[in-house]
Amino acid sequence: MDKHKTIFDTTLRDGEQTPGVSLTNDQKLKIARQLDKLGVDVIEAGFPVSSEGEKQNVKAIASEGLSLDVCGLARVLTKDLDACIDCNVDMVHTFVSTSDIQRIHTIKKSREEVLSMAVNAVEHIKDHGAKCMFSAMDATRTDLDYLIEVYEAVEGAGCDIINVPDTVGVMSPSSMYELVRNIDAHVNIPIDVHCHNDFGIAVANSLMAAEAGASQIQCTINGIGERAGNANLAEVVMSLHSIYGAKTNINTEYLLETAKMVESYTGIHMPANTPIVGDNAFAHESGIHTHGVLEKSDTFEPGIMTPEMVGHKRRIVVGKHAGRHAVKKSLEDMGIETNDEQLDEILSQIKDIANKGKRVCDADLHAVASSVLGRNLGSETIVLKEFSVMTGNLITPTAVVRATIGDQEAIASNYGVGPVDATLRAVEEMIGGYTKVKVRDFALEAITGGSDALAEVTISVEDGEGHVSSAQSASTDIATASVDALIAAINLLLDQKKTRGME
Ligand code: KIV
Ligand code: ZN
């Protein structure tokens, strides 16, 4: 494989086409800046002809002075191309369907008409001085001879780079390799690929295209995009770097930060087992694995990719499959020393909790250790005195919380999208002057049925140095369960901080 590949990110265009996703202009601008910090080479900022708002947003991103190239999408129609040119983008990405199925049933043009529209579009873009990328939409279902004829024609018209879209994600890795090899034998301009993830192999197909000679890969953050999405940028980049020994301009230490930003703006949540950026990507629970990892992390991690490389953290999880090493390490992190007998008892009680199907959180481990050691190990820095929350269809949900923090009285209010959000934000506001903590995970489960169901809330919080602690609480009132779990998790974090001697 060539040593260097460029990364084209289409989170703001194909990514925003994810069903149910709609980003505000401000969020798009923030994502564009983040992609610049990440080191992406080109971003597709949007489809300017689609609306005046979209056009203004692409224009705003193009005028941000980012280091990356800003690209706009256009059909091979003059009004689309001009909308991009009006935005002063660095590159125009123009596309037209070339497969018979799309050509006959959607645009209803002959092969000759499609070819001449493609050539005219490329000439129009080049006449206006922008870089030009041409996509034969549904390339992977297009008759091969015709596909090559189209690519040769756009190269002749001055196109800078061609894209091979696997529009409906039907390629296998080996067929993608063959196709790109074939195209590469006929054209002399760089090849870019755009793989959809309908069968879950968009990343594998992109890597095989790269192996076959594609010099640029299109990706999105968290793999979002039409239907099952596009190739996931973090997975493509880390595979290129760590498995293939290739290089990109991506500053990989910002991968997690970027994934979290896109997750929060789009509301498309990453499952815990998402590679590279998921919560469990570097988490270990089973006894054999945690023992190995605590001795030497490479024993049960790839080694060629570490959590630090992608801005992540290794986590040792105490749960059903935990062994002595994991429990000992977690207790040590809490500043709790035990002898062998006490450790065995704590482990056995933790397994009992987990065997009842309950998720074990730090607060459980702390409580079990307190009871086994026969002393109260923690101090409650924050003691909740009262809280109230107002909600309804005519008011913005608003919460007020009052507590003592150490020997100080504190009170704060905040609003949110719902009563729980308002309550959590009010607590964050209240403790803001004392310590900086943010909610990392929030899980809500109804553990009994009916409208009087008991809700169990599990919250994990993270401080500015990346230390995490979790706690659970159950109540028939979800706001009460949430505030109790949040304060318990923060108290634990503050305790651990004291133990580390950082105060
Ligand atoms: O999937 C596709 O074919 C596209 C084109 C616009 C490149 O998104
Ligand atoms: Zn696409």
Side-chain angles (χ1 to χ4, degrees), residues 190-218:
I191 300 176
D192 164 283
V193 286
H194 173 104
C195 297
H196 274 277
N197 203 28
D198 297 69
F199 288 91
I201 51 176
V203 171
N205 288 342
S206 304
L207 293 170
M208 286 306 267
E211 229 182 307
S215 58
Q216 180 165 286
I217 320 286
Q218 293 203 8

Side-chain angles (χ1 to χ4, degrees), residues 270-317:
M270 294 180 281
N273 62 347
T274 303
I276 302 160
V277 292
D279 278 354
N280 288 353
F282 298 94
H284 306 273
E285 183 183 309
S286 83
I288 295 170
H289 284 225
T290 46
H291 180 201
V293 163
L294 289 171
E295 289 291 321
K296 185 168 173 52
S297 58
D298 296 9
T299 50
F300 288 98
E301 278 179 13
I304 49 175
M305 174 175 71
T306 64
E308 294 75 25
M309 282 162 85
V310 301
H312 215 324
K313 282 215 159 56
R314 180 170 301 112
R315 271 192 317 131
I316 302 297
V317 178

